[in-house]
Every structure is written in C-alpha cells, then in structure tokens.
C-alpha cells in the first residue's frame, strides 16, 4: 500500500501552523505561489497579516493561534470550515528551540518545549482528524527534526520533543494509511531561521528556509512519509543512530563540539 501524494497544489485548502516566520513562512509563500488557499497561523498576527497582504485576495485566512491552547486551535479550524467548507492539508511547522544541557536543566523549559513541539501537533491532529476520517482523505504533515533521531548535545528538551514527533508520525501513518489519509513526517537538518540565528557554532550543511520549503513540498507531492533533508546530513545522522551506543557516543563527542 502506498500513500497518496499531491498532484497539484492549485485550489488545495491548506492550514500552515507556524506560518509567521522561517520554514513555515517559506512553505506558505511557495504554496500561495502554486495557487493553494492557505490559512496562516502563529501567534504574531502582524507577521501573518503582512504575509496575507502580499497574496492574491481570497487565497488566505489569517488565524492567530497559540498551539498551547486547544480552544484557539479549535476556533481557528471552525473558521476554516466556515470559509472553505473543509481542509485538505494540515501542515504543522510551529516549534520552539531552547538550548539546554543537564547542568542547567529547568523543568519549565522542558514543559514549554513539549507543550509547543509535541502536544501542539497532537492537539491540531485531534481537531482535524474526525473530518478527514469521515472523508477518507487528507494529508497530515508535521515538522519534527533530525534532532529526534537520537540524543544530541544541548537538546535536553528539544530532542525528546522531536523524538516524540517521530513516534507519533510513525504510529499515525500505521493507523491512517489503510484509511486513505497521508502522513508526512518532516525531519530537517540545520535551516537558517530565527530559531537558529543565535547558534554560536558552525552549523553543518546549513540550508535556507526556501530550500527547506522546496524539499517539504516535493516530498508531499510524491506522497513520501519520511521527508528528511539535506540528505548529506540527515543520512549521516540516520547512520549514526544504528551504531552500537559506545561508538555512537564516541563519534558525537569527537565531532560535535558544542
Ligand atoms: N531551523 C532549523 O534548523 C530547524 C531544524 C529542524 C527542525 N526545525 C523545526 O522547524 C520548525 C520551524 O522552525 P523555524 O526554524 O522555521 O523557526 P522560526 O522561524 O522560529 O519559526 C517558528 C514558528 O513556530 C511558531 N510558533 C512557535 N511557538 C508557537 C506557539 N506556541 N503557537 C503558535 N505558533 C508558534 C512561530 O510563530 P509565532 O512566534 O508567531 O507564534 C513561528 O511561525 C520548528 O518545529 C523547528 O523545531 C527547525
């Protein structure tokens, strides 16, 4: 059984959560240019309004949402149903990254991170899924990270939140494939955005948000479940995670100097 791709974006009703900057903004711009209708969500309404202002009229909805609040996600979804009568694609991009090591561990940072990065997508999926199940159609795409593959330095809250996304997507895919709903698990390497702007180390295989958006949309068009990029970096990390732990930890200590 193979999951369905997207032959054309034109007229597709897409909800981008995390559209106000970085990868989500770049995806939204590409989708709008390809003729999709895009509902733009995030907390910074002025950024969403600016993005909508540059798009053709009637092609966007501006729906400010904090993904920590289930009620806000639910109200935004109702707006989509009222205006467009349905949703074809949920593209959940929103996420936060706070560098965290064990000697500075703060539970409040872990709670905020899990709340936005893992519970946020779970809330959105819970809200859109019943209608997709009824129609036996739809796409659920969630941005995780290669940092979810295995434990890495400075990622004591971020890493577990993204590892959770991998397991969530795998399980969703298993359940939803026979029911006609496509799941896309998106695992970027380093992307130059506001989230990585303060990193004080050289980021290997760094790409632009526009390149990331292109990889994401190409993968979804082809109906891929596992969308990871840039390949020269993501394949290396996939290889590392199958190594025996002593070798894995030796390589990470030797080569990751952060
Ligand atoms: N950049 C990288 O190297 C990289 C690598 C792997 C994975 N990723 C993942 O890619 C995704 C996008 O990150 P980015 O690099 O594009 O960073 P970014 O420019 O900081 O974008 C983050 C987006 O998430 C939204 N967001 C954060 N918290 C939110 C909340 N509570 N409610 C609603 N929206 C929220 C932000 O909107 P508001 O602030 O307006 O709410 C913004 O639109 C994240 O999931 C990140 O973990 C990034």
């Amino acid at each position: 059984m193979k999951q369905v791709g997207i032959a054309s974006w034109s007229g597709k009703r897409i909800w981008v959560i995390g559209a106000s900057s970085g990868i989500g903004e770049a995806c939204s711009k590409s989708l709008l240019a390809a003729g999709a209708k895009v509902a733009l969500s995030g907390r910074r309404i002025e950024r969403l309004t600016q993005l909508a202002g540059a798009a053709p009229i009637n092609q966007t909805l501006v729906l400010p949402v904090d993904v920590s609040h289930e009620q806000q996600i639910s109200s935004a979804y109702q707006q989509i149903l009222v205006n467009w009568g349905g949703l074809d694609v949920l593209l959940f991009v929103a996420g936060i990254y706070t560098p965290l090591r064990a000697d500075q561990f703060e539970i409040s940072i872990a709670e905020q991170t899990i709340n936005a990065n893992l519970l946020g997508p779970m809330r959105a999926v819970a809200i859109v899924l019943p209608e997709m199940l009824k129609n036996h159609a739809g796409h659920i795409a969630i941005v995780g990270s290669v940092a979810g593959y295995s434990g890495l330095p400075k990622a004591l809250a971020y890493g577990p939140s993204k590892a959770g996304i991998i397991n969530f997507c795998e399980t969703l895919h298993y359940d939803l494939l026979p029911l006609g709903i496509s799941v896309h698990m998106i695992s970027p390497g380093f992307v130059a955005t506001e989230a990585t702007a303060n990193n004080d180390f050289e980021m290997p295989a760094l790409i632009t948000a526009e390149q990331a958006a292109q990889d994401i949309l190409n993968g979804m068009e082809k109906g891929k479940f596992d969308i990871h990029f840039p390949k020269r970096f993501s394949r290396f990390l996939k290889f590392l995670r199958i190594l025996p732990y002593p070798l894995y930890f030796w390589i990470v200590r030797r080569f990751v100097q952060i």
Side-chain angles (χ1 to χ4, degrees), residues 7-8 18 38 78 96 102 112 121 152 154 181 187 219 224 231 250:
S8 165
V38 185
Q78 291 312 315
I96 53 172
Q112 280 164 19
L152 290 169
K154 276 195 175 174
I181 300 165
S187 307
K224 283 193 181 167
K231 293 280 191 295
W250 183 84

Side-chain angles (χ1 to χ4, degrees), residues 13-40:
R13 301 159 298 182
I14 302 173
W15 188 9
V16 181
I17 303 184
S20 50
S21 61
I23 299 170
E25 181 183 6
C27 286
S28 302
K29 285 180 176 167
S30 294
L31 289 166
L32 287 166
K37 291 178 168 187
V38 185
L40 305 161

Side-chain angles (χ1 to χ4, degrees), residues 17-25 41-48 64-69 72 92-97 112 115-117 143-147 158 161-162 186-197 199 203 206-207 209 216 229:
I17 303 184
S20 50
S21 61
I23 299 170
E25 181 183 6
S41 287
R43 292 165 301 182
R44 286 168 293 175
I45 187 167
E46 65 291 349
R47 300 282 289 262
L48 303 173
V65 149
D66 182 333
V67 299
S68 313
H69 298 284
Q72 292 185 21
F92 194 105
V93 192
I96 53 172
Y97 168 63
Q112 280 164 19
N115 202 358
N117 295 8
V143 175
S145 169
V146 295
Y158 186 75
S161 75
K162 296 299 188 178
I186 299 160
S187 307
F190 287 110
V191 184
T193 65
E194 291 173 20
T196 50
N199 281 353
M203 291 176 268
L206 183 70
I207 59 170
I216 291 170
F229 54 85

